Amino acid sequence: MSLRYEQCNALLRTQRFLRELLQPRKGVWSKHELKEKAYRCLKHFPHLNEHGHPLFSNDEFTDKDGKATKI
C-alpha cells in the first residue's frame, strides 16, 4: 500500500489530468503520453473497499505548514 501523502497526491494528480483532458489544447496527446499520465495517476491511487470508499493508509504526514496531520 502506498503512503498517505502519495495517495492524496494521486487523487490531486488524477483530478488535474481529467481537467486537462476537458480543456482544448493546441497539440494532441499521443497514445503513449495518455497511457503514461494515466499510469502515474493510478500508481498510488487508493484502493476501494467493498462499499466503494477509498482505503487510505493510516500513516501521518505533514501539511504545508510542517504540522503532522491525519486525514
Side-chain angles (χ1 to χ4, degrees):
M1 180 176 268
S2 301
L3 297 174
R4 177 166 274 208
Y5 79 91
E6 293 171 324
Q7 293 172 332
C8 289
N9 286 339
L11 290 172
L12 295 172
R13 186 179 305 111
T14 302
Q15 181 184 36
R16 279 193 310 267
F17 174 60
L18 292 174
R19 287 185 178 177
E20 285 177 17
L21 286 176
L22 294 174
Q23 297 296 319
R25 193 180 142 159
K26 292 180 181 178
V28 177
W29 280 315
S30 70
K31 187 176 178 181
H32 176 74
E33 285 176 310
L34 283 174
K35 282 185 173 184
E36 186 65 30
K37 285 180 177 273
Y39 171 76
R40 287 185 190 144
C41 289
L42 293 176
K43 184 175 180 181
H44 296 291
F45 203 85
H47 297 284
L48 302 178
N49 66 13
E50 63 274 2
H51 303 292
H53 301 290
L55 293 173
F56 288 104
S57 62
N58 292 324
D59 62 321
E60 292 183 355
F61 67 100
T62 57
D63 61 8
K64 293 177 184 175
D65 300 325
K67 184 174 152 186
T69 60
K70 265 194 166 181
I71 296 177

Coordinates of all heavy atoms in Angstrom, one line a residue:
M1 N 0.8 -1.2 0.0 CA 0.0 0.0 0.0 C 0.9 1.2 0.0 O 1.9 1.3 0.6 CB -0.9 0.0 1.2 CG -1.8 1.2 1.3 SD -3.0 1.1 2.7 CE -4.3 0.3 1.8
S2 N 0.4 2.2 -0.7 CA 1.2 3.5 -0.8 C 1.0 4.3 0.5 O 0.1 4.1 1.3 CB 0.6 4.3 -1.9 OG 0.8 3.6 -3.1
L3 N 1.9 5.2 0.7 CA 1.8 6.1 1.8 C 0.7 7.1 1.6 O 0.3 7.4 0.5 CB 3.1 6.9 2.0 CG 4.4 6.0 2.3 CD1 5.6 6.9 2.4 CD2 4.2 5.3 3.7
R4 N 0.2 7.6 2.7 CA -1.0 8.5 2.6 C -0.7 9.7 1.8 O -1.6 10.1 0.9 CB -1.4 9.0 4.0 CG -2.6 9.9 4.0 CD -3.1 10.0 5.3 NE -4.1 9.0 5.4 CZ -5.1 9.0 6.2 NH1 -5.4 10.0 6.9 NH2 -6.0 8.0 6.2
Y5 N 0.4 10.4 1.9 CA 0.7 11.6 1.1 C 0.7 11.2 -0.4 O 0.3 12.0 -1.3 CB 1.9 12.3 1.5 CG 3.2 11.7 1.1 CD1 3.8 12.1 -0.1 CD2 3.9 10.8 1.9 CE1 5.0 11.6 -0.5 CE2 5.1 10.2 1.5 CZ 5.7 10.6 0.3 OH 6.8 10.1 -0.1
E6 N 1.2 10.0 -0.7 CA 1.2 9.5 -2.1 C -0.2 9.3 -2.6 O -0.5 9.6 -3.8 CB 2.0 8.2 -2.3 CG 3.5 8.4 -2.0 CD 4.2 7.0 -1.9 OE1 3.7 6.1 -1.4 OE2 5.4 7.0 -2.4
Q7 N -1.1 8.8 -1.8 CA -2.4 8.6 -2.2 C -3.1 9.9 -2.4 O -3.9 10.1 -3.4 CB -3.2 7.8 -1.1 CG -2.7 6.3 -1.0 CD -3.3 5.6 0.2 OE1 -3.6 6.2 1.2 NE2 -3.3 4.3 0.1
C8 N -2.9 10.9 -1.5 CA -3.5 12.2 -1.7 C -3.0 12.9 -2.9 O -3.8 13.5 -3.7 CB -3.3 13.1 -0.4 SG -4.2 12.5 1.0
N9 N -1.7 12.8 -3.2 CA -1.2 13.3 -4.4 C -1.7 12.7 -5.6 O -2.0 13.3 -6.7 CB 0.4 13.2 -4.4 CG 1.0 14.2 -3.5 OD1 0.4 15.2 -3.1 ND2 2.2 13.9 -3.1
A10 N -2.0 11.4 -5.6 CA -2.6 10.6 -6.7 C -4.0 11.1 -7.0 O -4.4 11.3 -8.2 CB -2.6 9.1 -6.4
L11 N -4.7 11.4 -6.0 CA -6.1 12.0 -6.2 C -6.0 13.3 -6.8 O -6.8 13.6 -7.8 CB -6.8 12.1 -4.8 CG -7.3 10.7 -4.2 CD1 -7.8 10.9 -2.8 CD2 -8.3 10.0 -5.1
L12 N -5.1 14.2 -6.3 CA -5.0 15.5 -6.9 C -4.5 15.4 -8.4 O -4.9 16.2 -9.2 CB -4.0 16.4 -6.1 CG -4.5 16.7 -4.7 CD1 -3.4 17.4 -3.9 CD2 -5.8 17.6 -4.7
R13 N -3.5 14.6 -8.6 CA -2.9 14.4 -10.0 C -4.0 13.9 -10.9 O -4.1 14.3 -12.1 CB -1.8 13.4 -9.9 CG -1.0 13.2 -11.2 CD 0.1 12.2 -11.1 NE 1.0 12.5 -10.1 CZ 1.2 11.8 -8.9 NH1 0.5 10.7 -8.7 NH2 2.1 12.2 -8.0
T14 N -4.9 13.0 -10.5 CA -5.9 12.5 -11.3 C -6.9 13.6 -11.6 O -7.4 13.7 -12.8 CB -6.7 11.3 -10.6 OG1 -5.7 10.3 -10.3 CG2 -7.7 10.7 -11.5
Q15 N -7.3 14.4 -10.6 CA -8.2 15.5 -10.9 C -7.6 16.4 -11.9 O -8.3 16.9 -12.9 CB -8.4 16.3 -9.6 CG -9.4 17.4 -9.7 CD -9.5 18.2 -8.5 OE1 -8.6 18.4 -7.7 NE2 -10.7 18.7 -8.2
R16 N -6.3 16.8 -11.8 CA -5.7 17.7 -12.8 C -5.7 17.0 -14.2 O -6.0 17.7 -15.2 CB -4.2 18.0 -12.4 CG -4.1 19.1 -11.4 CD -2.7 19.5 -11.2 NE -1.7 18.5 -11.1 CZ -1.3 18.0 -9.9 NH1 -1.7 18.5 -8.8 NH2 -0.4 17.0 -9.8
F17 N -5.4 15.7 -14.2 CA -5.3 15.0 -15.5 C -6.7 15.0 -16.2 O -6.8 15.3 -17.4 CB -4.9 13.6 -15.3 CG -4.9 12.7 -16.5 CD1 -4.2 13.0 -17.6 CD2 -5.7 11.6 -16.5 CE1 -4.3 12.2 -18.8 CE2 -5.8 10.7 -17.6 CZ -5.0 11.1 -18.7
L18 N -7.8 14.8 -15.4 CA -9.1 14.8 -16.0 C -9.5 16.2 -16.5 O -10.2 16.3 -17.5 CB -10.1 14.2 -15.0 CG -9.9 12.7 -14.7 CD1 -10.9 12.3 -13.6 CD2 -10.2 11.9 -16.0
R19 N -9.1 17.2 -15.7 CA -9.4 18.6 -16.2 C -8.6 18.9 -17.4 O -9.2 19.6 -18.3 CB -9.1 19.5 -15.0 CG -10.1 19.5 -13.9 CD -9.9 20.5 -12.9 NE -11.0 20.4 -11.9 CZ -11.1 21.1 -10.8 NH1 -10.1 22.0 -10.6 NH2 -12.0 21.0 -10.0
E20 N -7.4 18.5 -17.5 CA -6.6 18.7 -18.7 C -7.3 18.1 -19.9 O -7.2 18.6 -21.0 CB -5.2 18.2 -18.6 CG -4.3 19.0 -17.7 CD -2.9 18.3 -17.5 OE1 -2.6 17.4 -18.3 OE2 -2.2 18.7 -16.6
L21 N -7.8 16.9 -19.8 CA -8.5 16.2 -20.9 C -9.7 17.0 -21.4 O -10.0 17.0 -22.6 CB -9.0 14.8 -20.5 CG -7.9 13.8 -20.3 CD1 -8.5 12.5 -19.8 CD2 -7.2 13.5 -21.6
L22 N -10.3 17.8 -20.5 CA -11.5 18.6 -20.9 C -11.1 19.9 -21.5 O -12.0 20.5 -22.2 CB -12.4 18.8 -19.7 CG -13.1 17.5 -19.1 CD1 -13.8 17.9 -17.8 CD2 -14.0 16.9 -20.1
Q23 N -9.9 20.4 -21.3 CA -9.5 21.7 -21.9 C -9.1 21.5 -23.3 O -8.4 20.6 -23.7 CB -8.3 22.2 -21.0 CG -8.7 22.5 -19.6 CD -9.7 23.6 -19.5 OE1 -9.7 24.6 -20.2 NE2 -10.6 23.4 -18.5
P24 N -9.5 22.5 -24.1 CA -9.0 22.5 -25.5 C -7.4 22.7 -25.5 O -6.9 23.4 -24.7 CB -9.7 23.6 -26.2 CG -10.3 24.4 -25.1 CD -10.3 23.6 -23.9
R25 N -6.8 22.0 -26.4 CA -5.3 22.0 -26.4 C -4.8 22.2 -27.9 O -5.4 21.7 -28.8 CB -4.8 20.7 -25.8 CG -3.4 20.8 -25.5 CD -2.9 19.4 -25.0 NE -1.6 19.2 -25.5 CZ -0.7 18.4 -25.0 NH1 -1.0 17.7 -23.9 NH2 0.4 18.2 -25.5
K26 N -3.8 22.9 -28.0 CA -3.2 23.2 -29.4 C -2.8 21.9 -30.0 O -3.1 21.6 -31.1 CB -2.1 24.2 -29.3 CG -2.5 25.5 -29.0 CD -1.3 26.5 -28.9 CE -1.7 27.9 -28.5 NZ -0.6 28.8 -28.4
G27 N -2.0 21.1 -29.3 CA -1.5 19.8 -29.8 C -2.4 18.7 -29.3 O -3.3 18.8 -28.5
V28 N -2.1 17.5 -29.9 CA -2.8 16.3 -29.5 C -1.9 15.4 -28.7 O -0.7 15.2 -29.1 CB -3.4 15.6 -30.7 CG1 -4.1 14.3 -30.3 CG2 -4.3 16.6 -31.5
W29 N -2.4 14.8 -27.6 CA -1.5 13.9 -26.9 C -1.4 12.6 -27.7 O -2.3 12.1 -28.3 CB -2.2 13.5 -25.5 CG -2.0 14.5 -24.5 CD1 -0.8 15.1 -24.2 CD2 -2.9 15.0 -23.6 NE1 -1.0 16.0 -23.1 CE2 -2.3 16.0 -22.7 CE3 -4.3 14.8 -23.4 CZ2 -2.9 16.6 -21.7 CZ3 -4.9 15.5 -22.4 CH2 -4.3 16.4 -21.6
S30 N -0.2 12.0 -27.6 CA 0.0 10.7 -28.3 C -0.6 9.6 -27.3 O -0.9 9.9 -26.2 CB 1.5 10.4 -28.5 OG 2.1 10.2 -27.3
K31 N -0.8 8.5 -27.9 CA -1.3 7.3 -27.1 C -0.4 7.0 -26.0 O -0.8 6.7 -24.8 CB -1.5 6.1 -28.0 CG -2.2 4.9 -27.4 CD -2.3 3.8 -28.5 CE -3.0 2.6 -27.9 NZ -3.1 1.6 -28.9
H32 N 0.9 7.1 -26.2 CA 1.9 6.8 -25.2 C 1.8 7.8 -24.0 O 1.9 7.5 -22.9 CB 3.3 6.8 -25.8 CG 4.4 6.6 -24.7 ND1 4.6 5.4 -24.1 CD2 5.3 7.5 -24.2 CE1 5.6 5.6 -23.3 NE2 6.0 6.9 -23.3
E33 N 1.7 9.1 -24.4 CA 1.5 10.2 -23.3 C 0.3 10.0 -22.5 O 0.4 10.1 -21.2 CB 1.4 11.6 -24.0 CG 2.7 12.1 -24.5 CD 2.5 13.4 -25.3 OE1 1.7 13.5 -26.1 OE2 3.3 14.4 -24.9
L34 N -0.8 9.6 -23.1 CA -2.0 9.4 -22.3 C -1.9 8.2 -21.4 O -2.3 8.2 -20.2 CB -3.2 9.1 -23.3 CG -3.8 10.4 -23.9 CD1 -4.9 10.0 -24.9 CD2 -4.4 11.3 -22.9
K35 N -1.3 7.1 -21.9 CA -1.0 5.9 -21.0 C -0.1 6.2 -19.9 O -0.3 5.8 -18.8 CB -0.5 4.8 -21.9 CG -1.5 4.1 -22.7 CD -0.8 2.9 -23.4 CE -1.8 2.0 -24.1 NZ -1.3 0.8 -24.7
E36 N 0.9 7.0 -20.1 CA 1.9 7.4 -19.1 C 1.2 8.2 -18.0 O 1.4 8.0 -16.8 CB 3.1 8.1 -19.7 CG 4.2 8.4 -18.8 CD 4.9 7.2 -18.2 OE1 4.9 6.1 -18.9 OE2 5.4 7.2 -17.1
K37 N 0.4 9.2 -18.4 CA -0.3 10.1 -17.5 C -1.3 9.3 -16.7 O -1.4 9.4 -15.4 CB -1.0 11.2 -18.2 CG 0.0 12.3 -18.6 CD -0.8 13.4 -19.3 CE 0.1 14.5 -19.7 NZ 0.3 15.5 -18.7
A38 N -2.0 8.4 -17.3 CA -3.0 7.5 -16.6 C -2.2 6.6 -15.6 O -2.7 6.4 -14.5 CB -3.8 6.7 -17.6
Y39 N -1.1 6.0 -16.0 CA -0.3 5.2 -15.1 C 0.1 5.9 -13.9 O 0.0 5.4 -12.8 CB 0.9 4.6 -15.9 CG 1.8 3.8 -14.9 CD1 1.5 2.6 -14.5 CD2 3.0 4.4 -14.5 CE1 2.3 1.9 -13.6 CE2 3.8 3.8 -13.7 CZ 3.5 2.5 -13.2 OH 4.3 1.9 -12.4
R40 N 0.6 7.1 -14.1 CA 1.1 7.9 -12.9 C -0.1 8.2 -12.0 O 0.1 8.3 -10.8 CB 1.7 9.2 -13.4 CG 3.0 9.0 -14.1 CD 3.7 10.4 -14.4 NE 4.8 10.2 -15.2 CZ 5.2 11.0 -16.2 NH1 4.5 12.0 -16.5 NH2 6.3 10.7 -16.9
C41 N -1.3 8.4 -12.5 CA -2.4 8.7 -11.7 C -2.8 7.5 -10.9 O -3.2 7.6 -9.7 CB -3.6 9.1 -12.5 SG -3.5 10.8 -13.2
L42 N -2.8 6.3 -11.5 CA -3.2 5.1 -10.8 C -2.2 4.4 -9.9 O -2.5 3.6 -9.1 CB -3.8 4.1 -11.9 CG -5.0 4.6 -12.6 CD1 -5.4 3.5 -13.7 CD2 -6.2 4.7 -11.6
K43 N -0.9 4.8 -10.1 CA 0.1 4.1 -9.4 C -0.1 4.1 -7.8 O 0.1 3.1 -7.2 CB 1.5 4.7 -9.7 CG 2.6 4.0 -9.1 CD 3.9 4.6 -9.5 CE 5.1 3.9 -8.9 NZ 6.4 4.5 -9.3
H44 N -0.5 5.2 -7.3 CA -0.7 5.3 -5.8 C -2.1 5.6 -5.5 O -2.4 6.0 -4.4 CB 0.2 6.4 -5.2 CG 1.7 6.1 -5.4 ND1 2.3 5.1 -4.7 CD2 2.6 6.6 -6.1 CE1 3.6 5.0 -5.0 NE2 3.8 6.0 -5.9
F45 N -3.0 5.4 -6.4 CA -4.4 5.7 -6.2 C -5.0 4.8 -5.1 O -4.7 3.6 -5.1 CB -5.2 5.5 -7.5 CG -6.5 6.3 -7.5 CD1 -6.6 7.6 -7.9 CD2 -7.7 5.7 -7.1 CE1 -7.8 8.3 -8.0 CE2 -8.9 6.3 -7.1 CZ -8.9 7.7 -7.6
P46 N -5.7 5.3 -4.1 CA -6.2 4.5 -3.0 C -7.1 3.4 -3.5 O -8.0 3.6 -4.4 CB -6.9 5.5 -2.1 CG -7.0 6.7 -2.8 CD -6.1 6.7 -4.0
H47 N -7.0 2.2 -2.9 CA -7.9 1.1 -3.2 C -9.2 1.4 -2.6 O -9.4 2.2 -1.7 CB -7.3 -0.2 -2.6 CG -6.0 -0.6 -3.2 ND1 -5.9 -1.1 -4.5 CD2 -4.7 -0.4 -2.7 CE1 -4.6 -1.3 -4.7 NE2 -3.9 -0.9 -3.7
L48 N -10.3 0.7 -3.1 CA -11.6 0.9 -2.6 C -12.0 -0.4 -1.8 O -11.7 -1.5 -2.2 CB -12.6 1.1 -3.8 CG -12.3 2.3 -4.7 CD1 -13.3 2.3 -5.8 CD2 -12.3 3.6 -3.9
N49 N -12.8 -0.1 -0.8 CA -13.3 -1.3 0.0 C -14.6 -1.8 -0.7 O -15.0 -1.3 -1.8 CB -13.6 -0.9 1.4 CG -14.7 0.1 1.6 OD1 -15.5 0.4 0.7 ND2 -14.8 0.7 2.8
E50 N -15.3 -2.8 -0.1 CA -16.4 -3.4 -0.7 C -17.6 -2.4 -0.9 O -18.5 -2.7 -1.7 CB -16.9 -4.6 0.1 CG -17.3 -4.4 1.5 CD -16.2 -4.3 2.5 OE1 -15.0 -4.5 2.1 OE2 -16.4 -4.2 3.7
H51 N -17.6 -1.3 -0.2 CA -18.6 -0.3 -0.3 C -18.3 0.8 -1.2 O -19.1 1.8 -1.4 CB -19.0 0.3 1.1 CG -19.4 -0.8 2.1 ND1 -20.5 -1.5 2.0 CD2 -18.7 -1.2 3.2 CE1 -20.6 -2.3 3.0 NE2 -19.5 -2.2 3.8
G52 N -17.1 0.8 -1.8 CA -16.7 1.8 -2.8 C -16.0 3.0 -2.2 O -15.7 4.0 -2.8
H53 N -15.7 2.9 -0.9 CA -15.0 4.0 -0.2 C -13.5 3.8 -0.3 O -13.0 2.7 -0.2 CB -15.4 4.1 1.3 CG -16.9 4.4 1.4 ND1 -17.5 5.6 1.1 CD2 -17.9 3.5 1.9 CE1 -18.8 5.5 1.3 NE2 -19.0 4.3 1.8
P54 N -12.7 4.9 -0.4 CA -11.2 4.7 -0.5 C -10.6 4.2 0.8 O -11.1 4.6 1.9 CB -10.7 6.1 -0.9 CG -11.8 7.0 -0.6 CD -13.1 6.2 -0.6
L55 N -9.6 3.3 0.7 CA -8.9 2.8 1.8 C -7.6 3.6 1.9 O -6.7 3.4 1.1 CB -8.6 1.3 1.7 CG -9.8 0.4 1.7 CD1 -9.3 -1.0 1.4 CD2 -10.4 0.4 3.1
F56 N -7.5 4.6 2.8 CA -6.3 5.3 2.9 C -5.4 4.6 4.0 O -5.9 4.0 4.9 CB -6.6 6.8 3.4 CG -7.2 7.6 2.4 CD1 -8.5 7.9 2.4 CD2 -6.4 8.1 1.3 CE1 -9.1 8.7 1.5 CE2 -7.0 8.9 0.4 CZ -8.3 9.2 0.4
S57 N -4.1 4.8 3.8 CA -3.2 4.3 4.8 C -3.3 5.1 6.0 O -3.8 6.2 6.0 CB -1.7 4.3 4.3 OG -1.3 5.6 4.0
N58 N -2.9 4.5 7.2 CA -3.0 5.2 8.4 C -1.8 6.0 8.9 O -1.7 6.4 10.0 CB -3.3 4.2 9.5 CG -4.7 3.6 9.3 OD1 -5.6 4.2 8.9 ND2 -4.9 2.3 9.6
D59 N -0.8 6.2 8.0 CA 0.4 6.9 8.4 C 0.1 8.4 8.4 O -0.8 8.9 7.8 CB 1.5 6.6 7.4 CG 1.2 7.0 6.0 OD1 0.1 6.9 5.6 OD2 2.1 7.6 5.4
E60 N 0.9 9.1 9.2 CA 0.7 10.6 9.3 C 1.7 11.2 8.3 O 2.7 10.6 7.9 CB 1.1 11.1 10.7 CG 0.2 10.6 11.8 CD 0.5 11.2 13.1 OE1 1.6 11.9 13.2 OE2 -0.2 11.0 14.1
F61 N 1.3 12.4 7.9 CA 2.2 13.2 7.0 C 2.1 14.6 7.4 O 1.1 15.0 8.0 CB 2.0 12.9 5.5 CG 0.7 13.4 5.0 CD1 0.6 14.6 4.3 CD2 -0.4 12.6 5.1 CE1 -0.6 15.1 3.8 CE2 -1.6 13.1 4.6 CZ -1.7 14.3 4.0
T62 N 3.0 15.4 7.0 CA 3.0 16.9 7.3 C 2.3 17.7 6.2 O 2.4 17.3 5.1 CB 4.4 17.4 7.6 OG1 5.2 17.2 6.4 CG2 5.1 16.7 8.7
D63 N 1.6 18.7 6.7 CA 0.9 19.6 5.7 C 1.9 20.6 5.3 O 3.1 20.6 5.6 CB -0.4 20.1 6.3 CG -0.1 21.0 7.6 OD1 1.0 21.2 7.9 OD2 -1.1 21.3 8.2
K64 N 1.4 21.6 4.6 CA 2.2 22.7 4.0 C 2.9 23.5 5.1 O 4.0 24.0 4.9 CB 1.4 23.6 3.2 CG 0.9 23.0 1.9 CD 0.0 24.0 1.2 CE -0.6 23.3 0.0 NZ -1.6 24.1 -0.8
D65 N 2.3 23.5 6.3 CA 2.9 24.3 7.4 C 3.9 23.4 8.2 O 4.4 23.9 9.2 CB 1.8 24.8 8.4 CG 0.9 25.7 7.6 OD1 1.4 26.5 6.8 OD2 -0.3 25.7 7.9
G66 N 4.1 22.2 7.9 CA 5.0 21.3 8.6 C 4.4 20.6 9.8 O 5.0 20.0 10.6
K67 N 3.1 20.7 9.9 CA 2.3 20.2 11.0 C 1.9 18.7 10.7 O 1.3 18.5 9.6 CB 1.1 21.1 11.3 CG 0.3 20.7 12.5 CD -0.7 21.8 12.7 CE -2.0 21.2 13.4 NZ -3.0 22.2 13.4
A68 N 2.1 17.8 11.6 CA 1.7 16.4 11.3 C 0.2 16.3 11.3 O -0.5 16.9 12.2 CB 2.2 15.5 12.4
T69 N -0.4 15.7 10.3 CA -1.8 15.6 10.2 C -2.2 14.1 9.8 O -1.5 13.4 9.3 CB -2.4 16.5 9.1 OG1 -1.8 16.1 7.8 CG2 -2.1 17.9 9.4
K70 N -3.4 13.8 10.2 CA -4.1 12.6 9.7 C -5.4 13.0 9.1 O -6.1 13.8 9.7 CB -4.3 11.7 10.9 CG -3.3 10.6 11.2 CD -3.8 9.6 12.1 CE -2.8 8.4 12.1 NZ -3.2 7.4 12.9
I71 N -5.7 12.4 8.0 CA -6.9 12.8 7.3 C -8.0 11.8 7.7 O -7.8 10.6 7.8 CB -6.7 12.8 5.8 CG1 -5.8 14.0 5.4 CG2 -8.0 13.0 5.1 CD1 -5.4 14.1 4.0

